[in-house]
Amino acid sequence: MKRFCSILIVSLVFLTLPGMIRGYYLSPQLFQKGRLLVKVFDFYADFQMSNSYMNITGLKEQYGISNRINIYAQQPFYVKKQMGTASNAGIGDMRQGVIFNLLNFRRKNNVDLIFSLKLPVGYVAKNDSGISIGSGTYDTYIELLGNYFYKMLELRYYTSFMEKFSKGGNSQESDNFLTVAAHFYGNRLVSMTTFDYDYRFGKNIENLTFSEEILYKFNKKIFAKAGVFLPVIDNNSLKTDYKVLTEFYCFLR
């Protein structure tokens, strides 16, 4: 018990360090009926502009209303943006959705359909610094997530279409990733290598990101994950050097 508590304390300290908010899944299937997950995440993006970064800390909950239907919600409760000598901080935009299991075969292999909505509740009009916290847009997502196991290896794939609604007009984006995961030590340790490609329609803006993540399962209820994301192609107006994401998962039921 003392050993477990020591590991947990070290993990919590590590996860408070600056840390894509992807991660709809832990295991390769939806959670069973009545199971409740609470996740704490910390996301950090270091911008190429001198003394500029973004840090997001928040919560995500996922609940199994049936064995094949889950609901989730995500709340960034603290967002800080630093741009040179100017900064702004506040709550972030909320996101919630429903996850449907379309196919389930050989127990481990699945195809899931996700409908979600992002609300600009964290939008803060630009203050004297000229920096706003939220996007100010209502975003709708249609997402497809699947996986396939072969012995200790797992292939994960994801594609999405997003529509952004704003007073200035609508816009569309697509995000896609392909992950090769390796499961070690009876699935307690998972190593994930991912290529993520996103495209903004109309603007013809594309980005490619390479990431390495490690997931460790302390037991059936407590997990931790950390990853580093490096831009390969970065066509954003504000370019990044790297991004870090840390997550702590706890199943309450």
Side-chain angles (χ1 to χ4, degrees):
M1 185 65 182
K2 289 183 179 179
R3 182 181 178 185
F4 170 75
C5 291
S6 299
I7 294 174
L8 180 58
I9 292 172
V10 171
S11 301
L12 286 172
V13 171
F14 172 71
L15 291 170
T16 58
L17 294 175
M20 263 155 79
I21 301 181
R22 193 175 61 228
Y24 286 111
Y25 52 84
L26 280 171
S27 58
Q29 60 186 21
L30 292 186
F31 309 144
Q32 295 178 345
K33 180 180 179 179
R35 200 162 193 203
L36 174 64
L37 166 74
V38 174
K39 178 175 75 174
V40 180
F41 65 86
D42 191 75
F43 172 72
Y44 177 85
D46 186 77
F47 300 127
Q48 291 183 2
M49 183 189 302
S50 179
N51 193 32
S52 301
Y53 65 88
M54 177 174 63
N55 196 184
I56 305 174
T57 303
L59 292 172
K60 180 178 177 180
E61 306 83 26
Q62 186 169 327
Y63 179 73
I65 60 176
S66 77
N67 291 341
R68 304 193 69 170
I69 301 176
N70 283 195
I71 55 176
Y72 81 91
Q74 181 173 285
Q75 310 89 28
F77 55 77
Y78 180 75
V79 180
K80 181 176 181 180
K81 289 184 179 181
Q82 177 80 32
M83 299 296 172
T85 58
S87 65
N88 199 358
I91 62 172
D93 296 338
M94 291 182 61
R95 185 169 168 178
Q96 49 279 310
V98 184
I99 309 172
F100 300 91
N101 180 248
L102 297 182
L103 295 173
N104 182 289
F105 50 100
R106 297 181 182 176
R107 286 196 244 181
K108 291 184 177 181
N109 305 317
N110 298 268
V111 178
D112 300 326
L113 180 66
I114 307 166
F115 295 98
S116 54
L117 171 67
K118 192 211 74 179
L119 302 175
V121 296
Y123 180 72
V124 178
K126 293 181 180 179
N127 57 12
D128 293 338
S129 67
I131 301 173
S132 60
I133 299 299
S135 67
T137 61
Y138 291 85
D139 302 346
T140 59
Y141 299 79
I142 300 177
E143 305 157 275
L144 195 66
L145 170 68
N147 71 298
Y148 179 80
F149 271 87
Y150 179 74
K151 297 182 179 181
M152 64 177 291
L153 296 179
E154 179 190 3
L155 179 67
R156 296 175 177 173
Y157 46 92
Y158 168 89
T159 186
S160 71
F161 177 79
M162 176 178 63
E163 180 91 16
K164 288 188 170 186
F165 298 89
S166 67
K167 293 181 179 179
N170 301 346
S171 62
Q172 299 81 33
E173 296 182 14
S174 177
D175 186 28
N176 311 270
F177 72 75
L178 187 65
T179 298
V180 176
H183 296 253
F184 303 99
Y185 306 112
N187 292 331
R188 291 177 66 89
L189 180 67
V190 185
S191 173
M192 293 164 280
T193 300
T194 301
F195 282 95
D196 188 293
Y197 174 79
D198 68 81
Y199 182 79
R200 300 177 189 177
F201 299 94
K203 297 181 180 180
N204 295 324
I205 296 176
E206 57 182 1
N207 298 286
L208 179 64
T209 303
F210 169 79
S211 66
E212 284 287 345
E213 299 173 276
I214 294 291
L215 170 70
Y216 185 75
K217 305 176 183 180
F218 295 101
N219 54 41
K220 292 183 178 180
K221 290 189 175 182
I222 298 177
F223 303 169
K225 188 174 77 168
V228 177
F229 302 78
L230 302 174
V232 179
I233 301 174
D234 190 348
N235 287 317
N236 293 307
S237 56
L238 189 60
K239 301 182 184 301
T240 58
D241 283 325
Y242 64 87
K243 303 173 185 177
V244 179
L245 173 66
T246 55
E247 299 173 308
F248 175 76
Y249 303 81
C250 182
F251 285 97
L252 300 182
R253 296 179 60 184

